[in-house]
Amino acid sequence: MTAADSYPPSSPQAPVVVAHGGAGADSQHKDGCAAAAEAGLARLRGGADAVQAAVAAVGVLEDDPRFNAGTGSVLRMDGVTIEMDAAVMDSQGRLGAVAGLRRVRHPVEVAAAVADTPHWLLCGEGALRFARHIGAADHDPTTAQALHKHAAMLKDLQQGKRLIPGEDNASFAQYWNFATPLAVAPGQACDTVGAVVRDAAGRFAVAGSTGGCAPALLGRVGDTPIIGAGFYAGPAGAVAVTGIGEHIVRHLLAHTVHGWLAGGMRLPQALQRALTLFDPAIDIGLIAVSATESGARSNRDMPWAAAGDAQLP
Ligand code: ASP
């Protein structure tokens, strides 16, 4: 089913925030995206810049256990580990990301803090130590829903259901890299949350956060924290991508779409064209904002919402 093909009107330079809850996620969870977009817009109205608004929007989704980011993230194949990825970027060149981060409540805030360091991306143990250094408290993002989802995925694996398009389930057993043994003979959950923002000054920002895809080996990183793949912000706008990261990275999708916008393509056409790059079996979704337009498109159900001022103040 194709979702998300209406485009809210937005005046040039009128502030707007668009938030999504992941390609393949339940579109009935749109209320969570609306709350996130409104939170971002409230920050803009309070004087925050585009990045701060995007981080605020994504933070709301990380706290909503219905979404696969922060609290509610999917479990890795051992049924215990949660590794999260997040990123932020704006059209002024601000850039920060984390990958494989464990036990924090708001990975997107850690990603935003990385932008202040000499680096753009921290991963694993170093990202966790950095998170504690900036005051991010220990937080277990495991939820009952995530445990239930994991059990359902194991059941699918046991029944031989192919969980990743084009991938043999047996490869997870072949390359198993957890300290604990594989509990089943070698189901699928993805989803990511994201937000794109245009502020009153015409600056653009993007933020994203995810628990990744399931099934996944320990240490797997998708597109969400990879610049140009899962996210990009530049002079022509901001783009956030969701779907199966292994496919998204090969198209540098967010940067590719930004390039189309910079070349003058209308935003709805650019998002639609992005979907045509992929086999329909691959979950893909995008949200974007340009100087004059904003919107979303997915080849699956995808909850999303926009909030914005219709007129310039
Ligand atoms: N893109 C994310 C990843 O591959 C998952 C998603 O967006 O559904 O980690």
Side-chain angles (χ1 to χ4, degrees), residues 70-162:
T71 300
S73 290
V74 295
L75 299 157
R76 293 287 150 120
M77 289 188 81
D78 62 351
V80 178
T81 309
I82 289 177
E83 295 179 316
M84 301 171 287
D85 308 326
V88 303
M89 184 177 188
D90 75 4
S91 49
Q92 315 297 109
R94 190 170 169 80
L95 174 65
V98 289
L101 178 60
R102 301 185 190 189
R103 297 194 69 92
V104 302
R105 180 174 166 194
H106 289 130
V108 72
E109 290 181 2
V110 184
V114 172
D116 294 326
T117 73
H119 309 300
W120 79 275
L121 169 64
L122 292 179
C123 71
E125 175 69 19
L128 179 58
R129 289 190 192 195
F130 173 76
R132 298 290 180 256
H133 179 73
I134 62 164
D138 183 45
H139 173 76
D140 182 358
T142 310
T143 60
Q145 291 105 306
L147 291 166
H148 178 77
K149 225 186 250 184
H150 184 76
M153 183 201 72
L154 291 185
K155 201 168 160 199
D156 285 344
L157 279 172
Q158 270 159 339
Q159 290 170 353
K161 184 173 163 190
R162 183 166 288 214

Side-chain angles (χ1 to χ4, degrees), residues 228-229 239 241 248 251-258 274 277-278 284 286:
V239 183
V241 182
I248 293 166
H251 289 280
L252 286 174
L253 192 60
H255 186 260
T256 298
V257 171
H258 179 270
L277 298 176
F278 298 89
I284 297 293
L286 306 95

Side-chain angles (χ1 to χ4, degrees), residues 167-178 182 186 217-218:
E167 286 300 329
D168 186 349
N169 288 345
S171 57
F172 291 104
Q174 189 183 352
Y175 299 111
W176 188 255
N177 64 351
F178 294 90
L182 179 59
L217 295 169
L218 190 68

Side-chain angles (χ1 to χ4, degrees), residues 23 190-192 210 212-213 220 222-224 241-246 248:
C190 260
D191 309 339
T192 287
T210 189
C213 278
R220 178 265 185 193
D223 59 300
T224 304
V241 182
T242 168
I244 302 180
E246 283 74 1
I248 293 166

Side-chain angles (χ1 to χ4, degrees), residues 1 20-26 68 162-166 187-192 212-214 220 223 241-249 251 253 274-286 297-303:
M1 175 178 174
H20 77 79
D26 189 341
N68 174 21
R162 183 166 288 214
L163 298 180
I164 295 185
Q188 174 152 356
C190 260
D191 309 339
T192 287
C213 278
R220 178 265 185 193
D223 59 300
V241 182
T242 168
I244 302 180
E246 283 74 1
H247 293 268
I248 293 166
V249 294
H251 289 280
L253 192 60
L275 298 183
T276 66
L277 298 176
F278 298 89
D279 184 302
I282 311 297
D283 296 16
I284 297 293
L286 306 95
R297 183 76 61 156
S298 178
N299 61 5
R300 297 288 187 277
D301 271 350
M302 182 176 79

